[in-house]
Amino acid sequence: MYQNRVLSVGAEFPAFSKKAVVSLEKDQEFRTITEQEHRAKDQWLVMFWWPKDFTFVCPTEIAEFNKNYDEFRDRDAQLIGASTDSEFVHAAWRRDHDDLRGLRFPMLADTSKSLAEELGILDAEEKVAYRVTYIVDPQGIIQWVSVNGLSVGRNVAEVLRVLDALQTDELCPCNWKKGEATLSA
């Protein structure tokens, strides 16, 4: 029986250098992205994965992350979406889907599946990524991981709430929200 060994909290996020769709402008569509970008800028990294392009649940999540792009930027976090589809499939999907044309974050293409494999997030049968979200601190250490099955979309507000809590560097109680009191040790 296949068992995922999801890279989790406290581990260093793996090194990567991958093509990504960053624009729909001719000759400016693609750029190589590395894990070093957020570290060089002393930023947090929020990377979220979806199983397949041209599906039903995935664009709802991607659009919601895009609606909240400024929220992530205001928290000094680099936002990256990713799947195991190619950069060409990502670009075609963005051109084809009304909700994806105006994306402000890169769509990373892990066509070799090497990063997804190293993260331990591939579905055993289909070899596509689960709906996984990573929050990585500016030093490259994973601080939060959330994994959903293939059919269930995630809650972007919860990703922001957890990012806020992690950035306080304090004890945050259940259901804590930005602006509320933290706990003293």
Side-chain angles (χ1 to χ4, degrees):
M1 175 186 227
Y2 179 83
Q3 291 184 340
N4 287 332
R5 303 227 187 279
V6 176
L7 202 57
S8 194
V9 174
E12 187 168 356
F13 198 84
F16 67 87
S17 179
K18 301 282 181 181
K19 292 274 189 205
V21 175
V22 295
S23 170
L24 290 180
E25 289 185 47
K26 187 167 174 47
D27 298 325
Q28 296 181 29
E29 299 100 327
F30 308 115
R31 179 167 73 81
T32 298
I33 294 181
T34 74
E35 86 291 347
Q36 289 297 319
E37 290 183 22
H38 80 100
R39 292 172 82 169
K41 295 177 183 175
D42 199 34
Q43 292 180 319
W44 290 75
L45 170 65
V46 176
M47 182 180 281
F48 69 99
W49 292 76
W50 62 88
K52 295 179 184 179
D53 292 3
F54 291 97
T55 56
F56 304 102
V57 176
C58 301
T60 67
E61 296 180 303
I62 296 166
E64 188 64 22
F65 273 103
N66 196 52
K67 284 180 196 168
N68 286 278
Y69 176 81
D70 288 333
E71 296 292 328
F72 288 99
R73 194 182 67 200
D74 290 348
R75 288 160 174 82
D76 210 19
Q78 180 184 16
L79 183 62
I80 299 175
S83 85
T84 57
D85 287 305
S86 77
E87 66 271 26
F88 302 107
V89 174
H90 287 339
W93 195 26
R94 281 188 62 176
R95 281 191 294 273
D96 183 66
H97 199 292
D98 290 341
D99 292 339
L100 305 181
R101 285 191 194 110
L103 292 185
R104 298 188 285 168
F105 56 83
M107 295 174 85
L108 188 106
D110 185 23
T111 52
S112 68
K113 302 180 185 195
S114 60
L115 182 55
E117 206 164 55
E118 195 167 351
L119 291 168
I121 62 171
L122 285 178
D123 174 73
E125 290 180 23
E126 292 195 51
K127 299 294 186 207
V128 296
Y130 285 110
R131 295 182 195 286
V132 179
T133 309
Y134 282 95
I135 298 178
V136 182
D137 69 22
Q139 292 73 45
I141 305 302
I142 298 168
Q143 296 298 328
W144 186 69
V145 181
S146 174
V147 182
N148 291 19
L150 298 176
S151 64
V152 179
R154 70 200 102 202
N155 183 325
V156 176
E158 175 64 1
V159 178
L160 286 164
R161 186 194 76 80
V162 172
L163 179 59
D164 286 337
L166 289 168
Q167 289 181 339
T168 69
D169 203 26
E170 296 181 28
L171 300 173
C172 297
C174 178
N175 298 324
W176 177 90
K177 291 184 181 145
K178 189 174 185 174
E180 294 179 351
T182 56
L183 303 173
S184 52

